[in-house]
Amino acid sequence: MTRPSRLHVPHAPARPGQPPDFSYVHLSPAGAVARPDIGAPASELGPLSLELIRVLDDQHAAVGPWNPNLAIDELQVGLRWMVLTRLYDERMFKTQRQGRISFYVKSTGEEAVSVAAGLALKPTDMLFPSYRQQGLQFVRGMSLVDLMCQLLSNTRDMCKGRQLPVLYHSKARHLFTISGNLGTQCPQAVGWAMASAIKGQDDLAATWIGEGSTAAADFHNALLFASVYHAPAILNVVNNQWAISTFQGFAAAEQRSFASRAPSYGIPGLRVDGNDYLAVYAATRWAAERARRGDGATLIELVTYRSSAHSSSDDPSRYRPKDEPEHWPLGDPIERLKQHLIALGAWSQTQHAALEAELNEQLSIAWKEAVGYGSLSDGPKLHSDLMFEDVFKDMPQNLIDQRAQLRLEQG
Amino acid sequence: MAQMNMIQALNSAMDVCMAKDPSVVLLGQDIGYFGGVFRVTDGLQRKYGEHRVLDTPISESGIVAAAIGMAVNGLKPVAEIQFADYIYPGYDQIVSELARLRYRSAGDFPAAVTIRTPCGGGIHGGQTHSQSPEALFAHVCGIKVVMPSNPYDAKGLLIAAIEAEDPVLFLEPKRLYNGPFDGDPGKPAVPWSSHEKGEVPEGHYTVPLGQASVVRSGAAVTIITYGTMVHVALAAARQLDLDAEIIDVRSMVPLDVELLVASVEKTGRCLVAHEATRFGGFGAELAATIQERCFWHLQAPIERVGGWDTPYPHAFEWEYFPGPQRLSAALTRLMEAA
């Protein structure tokens, strides 16, 4: 005898044609969540994984115990990097649409996640990003031209033409090579942090993973190893609500928090307003100091929203309401920091427009230079001999032979 | 007969199987509401409901393992791995579990899971969206490995795979989804609607697993290949005006050895070609088999063409890809050999 299926299937709160519904996002008022002592035992920190750490309130004031009390010039620097990230994304997405680059991934709406965290860490802390934290590249001082050359796979591409666009790296700036496979960087960051502990370094490792990718075993391996060895690491889960067409409830099993994965491993989990520059900064600082003291890893869930498509290959209007981005309850990270600075009397619409104009000009100049080094379709090309290098440190005979064969094919 | 591209043909295969057998279920990332990133499962959740077409979390090991459990409990799961390049987290579940369950349980717990996954390059996917990992699975005992080269075969083979009582890895060359591709990226795309293999019956039929097909008869040389390279081989033979016999392997495991042997015994010359990395590739198995069985008929050493022994690079996609030129060079060497 059989009954009808009783399998539970999670449902997205809204699909195309339905009104957007973010009632599932649990919000705490700005300033309402306590800031525990940095050395507090993880067993006492459980509630932080369910509340939402916020600093900027609806009147654009910074309130509560998590206010990092940043100086005006620090806030302006953060705003500048976030605006640059957004303008860069818009410009590069357009070049993809014009066929100048093969692929692009925007981070629109998630700029605070990378910029605030990047600036809250030391320049020698090792970063293991996923493919949507371009803000980290900027705050670590990567030049626009270098980043654009990677997108173009041209003669100045740091990856020598081997990687998809946006999979940057920089050894000098402590930015690990970004993988096109999901979540793999997470336990690697923990391993880097374990080495830092073994070697007696002060540096920590920070990594970013999308909420969808927390389904992968690698995420759980990261938590496990971080927990066992008290690794000085920060595991950031960027909960931007959508993994292509799959809503966040699939990876969370419709629970209210990803941060709450951490306490069961004995690690603190902080659930943070990812569109609140000050909250992201403060939470990252808290976790970083804790790691440096020897108190181990922290998981930070950054509650944010992917305002744009997953990538240049994606069309979100097929799986979510068109007007959903406008209804996201945590607003826009750039607008919120901008309004905060205006409220402090330290910024104006005029200054903002001037900043955008200045950065757009920089982008134009950089793009002009970058395309001068070639692209997949025009201008100077990387030599195809490069394809055979770096498979091993020393090229084995089969690759030497194949390199010669390709040269013959090319005449 | 209907005109179908490979995406529609695969969709139709699953549709036919689901209509016929209520135990057939689909699972994978983005396959339900969205219909899959390549649209292969489009409309099937609407038609068969969300208890038979399951969106899953992003966990390939979870997808494969859950499919195994479902199969052990009597369902016929068809799992989609979004790109073959993402299959490795599920590798342990495939190699150590799925492929060996029948063997280790002496036939008591077989798991007839079908795993569909898009493979191959030619779409500027770089090293994480271009791989052809068939050899890694053909080497594993207990799982069948299939790769179609056209919509007709795609549908017939997928139905056969779903109805098979053994696990099957079903590799879909994504460059062929919308049309045959002869290896020249400069030419305008050709749709399947202008190709005879784009004519696909709407109902149930199978292309049996384990049977290769002669795509073109010839007497001068045998080209043994599969997937995208079938069309590249046709182009190379045309360019050289060569009386080549071209064989589409279709099924690597089980392998139709007799058909390959009969052809090489007739022509006396053999080229083995695939898009995957050459070293340790499935071509090595093909070449070794031909050498063992046809040595006294061979008039020239077997030629083997593949991708280079490097990851699939983004910028050098067409320098990496074994296009008509690389095939032509190998064919010329074969024909000029004494």
Side-chain angles (χ1 to χ4, degrees), chain B residues 6 11 14 20 22-23 30 62-63 115 117 120-121 123-124 137 160 166 178 202 207 217 249 287 306 319 327:
Chain B
M6 199 185 280
N11 185 284
M14 288 183 276
K20 187 177 167 214
S23 67
D30 299 296
I63 292 168
I115 302 173
T117 189
I123 61 157
H124 270 311
F137 297 92
D166 287 304
N178 290 302
E202 290 185 43
V207 172
S217 300
V249 172
E319 287 84 356
L327 285 187

Side-chain angles (χ1 to χ4, degrees), chain A residues 81-97:
Chain A
W81 290 128
M82 288 203 291
V83 173
L84 177 63
T85 305
R86 180 159 305 178
L87 296 176
Y88 175 84
D89 275 348
E90 281 167 14
R91 184 72 69 98
M92 295 306 104
F93 191 78
K94 256 185 229 157
T95 67
Q96 194 281 334
R97 286 297 184 247

Side-chain angles (χ1 to χ4, degrees), chain A residues 5-11 15-16 102-103 150-153 157 160-165 167 178-182 212-217 243-246 250-251 314-315 318-320 376 382-388 391 398-399 402-403 405-406 408-411, chain B residues 28-35 37 39 42 45 50-61 70 82 85-89 123-129 131 278-279 304-305 307-316 318-323 325-327 329 333:
Chain A
S5 170
R6 58 191 187 281
L7 191 76
H8 173 71
V9 178
H11 280 140
R15 290 296 193 183
S102 64
F103 177 76
Q150 196 281 334
L151 301 178
L152 288 156
S153 284
D157 171 12
K160 297 186 181 171
R162 292 167 188 152
Q163 284 264 63
L164 272 182
L167 303 182
I178 300 170
S179 178
N181 293 68
L182 296 180
S213 305
T214 64
I244 309 189
S245 76
T246 306
F250 256 96
D314 178 40
D315 173 11
R318 299 185 82 126
Y319 53 76
R320 69 185 190 189
L376 287 181
L382 285 167
H383 198 289
S384 52
D385 276 4
L386 284 170
M387 181 180 3
F388 300 96
V391 179
N398 59 324
L399 289 179
Q402 291 181 1
R403 184 178 63 184
Q405 201 186 331
L406 177 61
L408 270 178
E409 272 181 25
Q410 293 170 329
Chain B
Q29 297 157 22
D30 299 296
I31 70 158
Y33 183 86
F34 189 49
V37 296
R39 324 297 312 154
D42 193 25
Q45 189 182 66
E50 52 188 20
H51 292 238
R52 291 186 67 195
V53 182
L54 303 176
D55 281 310
T56 65
I58 303 174
S59 173
E60 289 78 11
S61 57
M70 290 176 175
Q82 202 163 76
D85 316 67
Y86 299 164
I87 205 167
Y88 307 116
I123 61 157
H124 270 311
Q127 42 129 12
T128 51
H129 299 79
Q131 294 166 51
R278 205 183 98 110
F279 190 93
R304 195 154 53 97
V305 168
W308 306 125
D309 300 336
T310 73
Y312 214 124
H314 177 251
F316 309 113
W318 301 115
E319 287 84 356
Y320 176 93
F321 186 86
Q325 209 177 356
R326 202 172 306 159
L327 285 187
R333 283 193 301 274

Side-chain angles (χ1 to χ4, degrees), chain B residues 10-332:
Chain B
L10 293 163
N11 185 284
S12 171
M14 288 183 276
D15 191 2
V16 164
C17 289
M18 294 185 83
K20 187 177 167 214
D21 180 355
S23 67
V24 175
V25 295
L26 316 184
L27 69 164
Q29 297 157 22
D30 299 296
I31 70 158
Y33 183 86
F34 189 49
V37 296
F38 289 104
R39 324 297 312 154
V40 177
T41 53
D42 193 25
L44 295 176
Q45 189 182 66
R46 271 197 304 283
K47 187 164 177 184
Y48 295 102
E50 52 188 20
H51 292 238
R52 291 186 67 195
V53 182
L54 303 176
D55 281 310
T56 65
I58 303 174
S59 173
E60 289 78 11
S61 57
I63 292 168
V64 176
I68 290 172
M70 290 176 175
V72 168
N73 197 5
L75 296 183
K76 293 276 264 177
V78 184
E80 176 180 303
I81 301 295
Q82 202 163 76
F83 285 86
D85 316 67
Y86 299 164
I87 205 167
Y88 307 116
Y91 197 59
D92 186 38
Q93 285 287 345
I94 298 171
V95 173
S96 312
E97 303 296 319
L98 181 60
R100 298 187 200 155
L101 285 173
R102 178 185 297 282
Y103 191 75
R104 82 179 194 215
S105 68
D108 285 344
F109 289 107
V113 172
T114 303
I115 302 173
R116 295 179 35 246
T117 189
C119 68
I123 61 157
H124 270 311
Q127 42 129 12
T128 51
H129 299 79
S130 307
Q131 294 166 51
S132 296
E134 64 272 12
L136 297 176
F137 297 92
H139 187 63
V140 173
C141 311
I143 181 163
K144 298 184 175 181
V145 180
V146 173
M147 193 189 297
S149 70
N150 60 69
Y152 180 89
D153 285 355
K155 178 171 173 182
L157 285 167
L158 183 56
I159 293 175
I162 294 169
E163 293 178 351
E165 297 194 56
D166 287 304
V168 180
L169 178 70
F170 193 93
L171 294 152
E172 303 169 1
K174 54 184 160 312
R175 181 69 208 215
L176 298 183
Y177 272 152
N178 290 302
F181 172 65
D182 71 1
D184 182 351
K187 279 195 210 156
V190 182
W192 281 112
S193 55
S194 59
H195 194 282
E196 60 173 349
K197 293 287 186 179
E199 284 196 14
V200 178
E202 290 185 43
H204 180 280
Y205 69 95
T206 58
V207 172
L209 308 182
Q211 288 187 9
S213 90
V214 178
V215 175
R216 169 190 150 145
S217 300
V221 58
T222 300
I223 305 177
I224 304 175
T225 187
Y226 49 86
T228 306
M229 293 301 291
V230 169
H231 305 278
V232 181
L234 283 163
R238 269 198 308 272
Q239 275 170 26
L240 293 175
D241 194 20
L242 191 60
D243 186 23
E245 179 146 298
I246 298 175
I247 295 178
D248 180 354
V249 172
R250 298 198 293 201
S251 164
M252 282 159 264
V253 180
L255 182 63
D256 189 355
V257 174
E258 296 312 319
L259 186 84
L260 311 182
V261 166
S263 176
V264 178
E265 286 183 349
K266 178 176 73 172
T267 63
R269 294 171 203 265
C270 179
L271 167 69
V272 168
H274 53 56
E275 192 182 336
T277 294
R278 205 183 98 110
F279 190 93
F282 189 70
E285 178 63 32
L286 291 169
T289 303
I290 296 301
Q291 191 277 143
E292 284 168 352
R293 293 287 303 272
C294 307
F295 183 79
W296 302 108
H297 292 84
L298 288 173
Q299 296 166 45
I302 298 164
E303 283 280 346
R304 195 154 53 97
V305 168
W308 306 125
D309 300 336
T310 73
Y312 214 124
H314 177 251
F316 309 113
E317 182 153 49
W318 301 115
E319 287 84 356
Y320 176 93
F321 186 86
Q325 209 177 356
R326 202 172 306 159
L327 285 187
S328 297
L331 286 167
T332 304

